[in-house]
Amino acid sequence: MARTTYQDLLDAGVHFGHLTRKWDPKMSQYIFMERNGIHIIDLNKTLTKVEEAAAAIKQIVKSGRKVLFVATKKQAKDIVAEYAKGVNMPFVTERWLGGMLTNFATVRKSIKKMSNIDKLTKDGTYSNLSKKERLMIQRERIKLESLLGGIADLNRLPAALFLIDVKKEHIAVSEALKLNIPTFAMVDTNSDPSNIDFPIPANDDATKSISLVTGIIIKAIEEGLDERKREKEDEAEKEAAAAKAKADTAKTEAPAAPAAAGTPAEGGKRKRVAEVAAEAEAPAAPAAEKTEE
């Protein structure tokens, strides 16, 4: 079943590109025509590309890995943050910090610092500080939360990136390229799709367009998570059945218990019977000859 239709894309305005003078020649393969000085994206190619991207991202999530959502432009940040939270995926919607991927160890230290501030508030240490110190810590916590709150649970590098507006997120794209992390992105007519592994030609400025395409990717992620959960449950059931079968086999193949020895009285009785039988079978002794008087 198709994840979306041509009409859905048309209604969301996915086909509207940028002004012809702002186009990137590398996007020519995805452009259908030009109308009133604006490029029109070929929605047939958009349909194909979004299906490919959704299928690939589903397999990544099914394997138990994370996809990092990146959208710092005003139209996309709230939409992407809401969608990513719904499937428990990391996201960056405020500002892409240089080295967020290539210098991930340092970023993890900042995240740890944020968690340490949370510990201070829980164990009561925060209330013992002066008003000025509390204010400074609070400001730092707010700043860290806005920049790194979306990746607080990201303990290792993501398996893939999903980006809105390749041109704006060029630093994230270059870092992913260096680390060989696959990228999925909405690519408009003013962007270069050559560095993106799974480009989705689409209008990356309209909220309806962003919501539709991101929603398709989120549904694919949900499918991957559901399949992973079912596979784990099936595997657990198989292991339980195998363990039960093994226990039943061991029980049936166990050696029979040796017959209990008789009581001492019975043993003595059997011995006497054997002795009597032996005497009965023995030949009679010859009679002694009488002496002559």
Side-chain angles (χ1 to χ4, degrees), residues 13-19 22-28 30-31 38-41 73 163-167 185-193 199-206 209-210:
V14 176
H15 58 293
F16 291 119
H18 278 266
L19 295 170
K22 290 185 178 181
W23 81 310
D24 191 306
K26 292 179 181 178
M27 278 293 292
S28 59
Y30 302 116
I31 294 173
I38 295 173
H39 277 131
I40 304 299
I41 295 168
K73 68 192 303 180
L163 309 107
I164 308 292
D165 196 340
V166 173
K167 200 168 185 178
M186 288 179 68
V187 185
D188 213 329
T189 57
N190 67 333
S191 305
D192 179 6
I200 303 170
N203 180 0
D204 61 12
D205 294 308
S209 175
I210 294 167

Side-chain angles (χ1 to χ4, degrees), residues 33-212:
M33 64 178 291
E34 177 264 326
R35 179 179 290 175
N36 299 328
I38 295 173
H39 277 131
I40 304 299
I41 295 168
D42 188 346
L43 291 183
N44 290 315
K45 292 187 177 178
T46 301
L47 271 174
T48 304
K49 288 295 181 179
V50 79
E51 288 288 340
E52 288 177 6
I57 218 162
K58 177 183 172 180
Q59 293 304 316
I60 289 171
V61 174
K62 191 178 174 181
S63 65
R65 294 174 291 172
K66 295 281 188 180
V67 177
L68 176 61
F69 286 76
V70 184
T72 59
K73 68 192 303 180
K74 187 178 179 181
Q75 304 96 308
K77 59 169 63 178
D78 293 336
I79 296 168
V80 170
E82 186 179 347
Y83 274 130
K85 285 177 185 176
V87 290
N88 197 26
M89 288 291 164
F91 59 92
V92 176
T93 55
E94 285 303 318
R95 183 167 69 88
W96 181 269
L97 298 175
M100 193 174 280
L101 295 180
T102 52
N103 198 13
F104 189 68
T106 304
V107 174
R108 282 298 307 163
K109 287 179 183 177
S110 298
I111 294 170
K112 191 175 180 181
K113 189 176 183 180
M114 188 169 64
S115 64
N116 288 337
I117 293 172
D118 292 337
K119 285 180 184 177
L120 287 177
T121 57
K122 287 179 182 177
D123 61 16
T125 310
Y126 183 76
S127 58
N128 296 329
L129 299 173
S130 66
K131 186 177 180 181
K132 186 178 179 180
E133 286 175 325
R134 288 201 302 268
L135 188 63
M136 288 173 66
I137 290 172
Q138 190 177 359
R139 283 175 180 170
E140 188 175 10
R141 175 69 177 78
I142 292 168
K143 184 180 177 182
L144 289 171
E145 176 65 32
S146 66
L147 293 173
L148 305 172
I151 59 169
D153 298 328
L154 191 64
N155 298 319
R156 58 177 181 173
L157 287 171
L161 261 66
F162 178 78
L163 309 107
I164 308 292
D165 196 340
V166 173
K167 200 168 185 178
K168 186 173 178 62
E169 314 299 347
H170 65 279
I171 299 174
V173 173
S174 62
E175 287 189 28
L177 202 61
K178 285 179 184 176
L179 297 172
N180 293 321
I181 296 174
T183 49
F184 300 75
M186 288 179 68
V187 185
D188 213 329
T189 57
N190 67 333
S191 305
D192 179 6
S194 59
N195 292 328
I196 305 300
D197 298 294
F198 294 90
I200 303 170
N203 180 0
D204 61 12
D205 294 308
T207 54
K208 283 185 179 180
S209 175
I210 294 167
S211 182
L212 178 64

Side-chain angles (χ1 to χ4, degrees), residues 209-249:
S209 175
I210 294 167
S211 182
L212 178 64
V213 175
T214 308
I216 293 166
I217 297 299
I218 291 296
K219 283 178 183 175
I221 289 174
E222 287 173 348
E223 288 172 12
L225 291 172
D226 289 342
E227 286 187 14
R228 177 174 171 78
K229 186 180 178 182
R230 283 198 298 272
E231 283 181 2
K232 279 189 172 182
E233 289 173 354
D234 292 343
E235 191 176 337
E237 287 177 4
K238 285 179 183 177
E239 286 178 1
K244 187 180 179 183
K246 189 176 180 181
D248 293 343
T249 305

